[in-house]
């Protein structure tokens, strides 16, 4: 399908890289025909550096590789979308995505659960004094499991109440503590997503 791609006057095509599990846009880079072919052959992202004028394999030095799960092109054939399993971070600054500076954000947008998960993971790796999340990690797995059990019971009780406000609150507590448990045990959101996909059958 490479013949469908419309490279620009410099022989390049912009490539949007997206996390296949969270759908977060990770970065924008450029491919030429050779890097596109290598990406398809190796199932890893290869790009063309306009500054160095050479091919580069994402993560070859840092170890933050991108394993390709799907590649698509837009209706005009002049932009490629690559859905990847991101190992580590995508941005050279150490951020998960290169798009971390916000120009505008609508207040009532749908909450991104991955942001909370990543924050909890960050707390575990870089503790903050006075953080409740770090308190749970410091107390260990038994404390975390106790909280998950308590919140599960409170969800059941709240569900019997006609007013949904309490159920909303208790379910949020259960989700939060479940995420803490996931981080403690090394389970990622993509693992849950993979299991949930099976429920769609």
């Amino acid at each position: 399908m490479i013949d469908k791609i419309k490279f620009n006057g410099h022989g390049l095509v912009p490539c949007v890289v997206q996390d296949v599990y969270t759908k977060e846009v990770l970065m924008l880079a450029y491919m030429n025909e050779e890097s596109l072919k290598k990406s398809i052959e190796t199932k890893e992202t290869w790009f063309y550096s306009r500054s160095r004028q050479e091919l580069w394999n994402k993560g070859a030095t840092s170890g933050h590789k991108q394993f390709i799960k799907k590649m698509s092109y837009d209706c005009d054939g002049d932009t490629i979308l690559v859905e990847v399993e991101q190992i580590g971070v995508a941005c050279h600054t150490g951020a998960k995505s290169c798009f971390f500076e916000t120009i505008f954000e609508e207040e009532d947008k749908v909450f991104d659960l991955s942001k909370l998960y990543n924050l909890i993971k960050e707390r575990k790796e870089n503790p903050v004094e006075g953080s409740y999340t770090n308190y749970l990690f410091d107390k260990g797995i038994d404390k975390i499991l106790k909280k998950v059990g308590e919140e599960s019971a409170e969800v059941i009780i709240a569900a019997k109440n006609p007013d949904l406000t309490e159920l909303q609150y208790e379910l949020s507590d259960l989700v939060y503590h479940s995420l803490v448990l996931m981080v403690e045990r090394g389970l990622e959101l993509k693992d849950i997503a993979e299991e949930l996909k099976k429920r769609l059958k």
Side-chain angles (χ1 to χ4, degrees):
M1 301 296 286
I2 293 181
D3 60 322
K4 301 291 186 180
I5 304 301
K6 298 177 183 177
F7 297 94
N8 63 22
H10 299 287
L12 302 175
V13 61
C15 177
V16 177
V17 182
Q18 182 182 46
D19 188 302
V20 69
Y21 301 109
T22 67
K23 303 306 178 183
E24 180 179 14
V25 176
L26 300 175
M27 59 182 285
L28 171 68
Y30 288 83
M31 288 184 177
N32 61 7
E33 186 172 348
E34 183 181 359
S35 64
L36 176 55
K37 288 180 178 178
K38 288 182 72 69
S39 295
I40 294 173
E41 292 170 0
T42 65
K43 302 297 187 297
E44 294 182 18
T45 51
W46 284 80
F47 304 108
Y48 181 81
S49 171
R50 293 171 297 171
S51 59
R52 301 192 304 272
Q53 296 189 342
E54 64 181 14
L55 299 186
W56 60 286
N57 175 214
K58 177 66 176 176
T61 301
S62 66
H64 298 165
K65 286 186 170 290
Q66 294 173 341
F67 296 107
I68 300 174
K69 300 301 181 181
K70 182 180 180 181
M71 294 184 74
S72 313
Y73 56 87
D74 71 345
C75 55
D76 295 319
D78 58 6
T79 304
I80 294 175
L81 174 65
V82 184
E83 297 179 56
V84 304
E85 178 180 354
Q86 175 69 54
I87 305 301
V89 300
C91 186
H92 72 281
T93 64
K96 174 68 183 295
S97 167
C98 293
F99 298 94
F100 56 83
E101 296 290 357
T102 302
I103 297 176
F104 168 79
E105 183 174 15
E106 194 170 342
E107 292 183 4
D108 62 350
K109 67 174 292 188
V110 176
F111 181 72
D112 185 352
L113 193 61
S114 66
K115 289 185 178 180
L116 178 57
Y117 177 89
N118 290 333
L119 176 60
I120 293 172
K121 191 173 182 180
E122 171 67 19
R123 285 287 186 271
K124 183 173 176 61
E125 296 172 351
N126 300 288
V128 173
E129 186 176 354
S131 165
Y132 174 67
T133 302
N134 283 128
Y135 163 77
L136 292 174
F137 285 132
D138 290 342
K139 290 296 183 180
I141 187 66
D142 288 341
K143 178 64 175 180
I144 296 172
L145 291 176
K146 181 180 178 182
K147 289 301 298 182
V148 171
E150 290 175 354
E151 299 304 337
S152 297
E154 289 175 6
V155 165
I156 294 172
I157 295 172
K160 303 290 288 184
N161 191 329
D163 183 1
L164 296 181
T165 303
E166 185 180 356
L167 179 59
Q168 176 186 355
Y169 181 85
E170 298 301 345
L171 277 171
S172 298
D173 265 355
L174 178 58
V175 170
Y176 161 75
H177 286 93
S178 295
L179 290 176
V180 173
L181 175 59
M182 287 173 60
V183 172
E184 175 68 15
R185 292 302 310 275
L187 197 63
E188 299 189 10
L189 286 176
K190 66 179 182 180
D191 300 318
I192 302 301
E194 283 298 308
E195 181 60 31
L196 288 175
K197 285 179 183 178
K198 301 175 184 178
R199 316 293 171 91
L200 296 176
K201 299 178 181 179

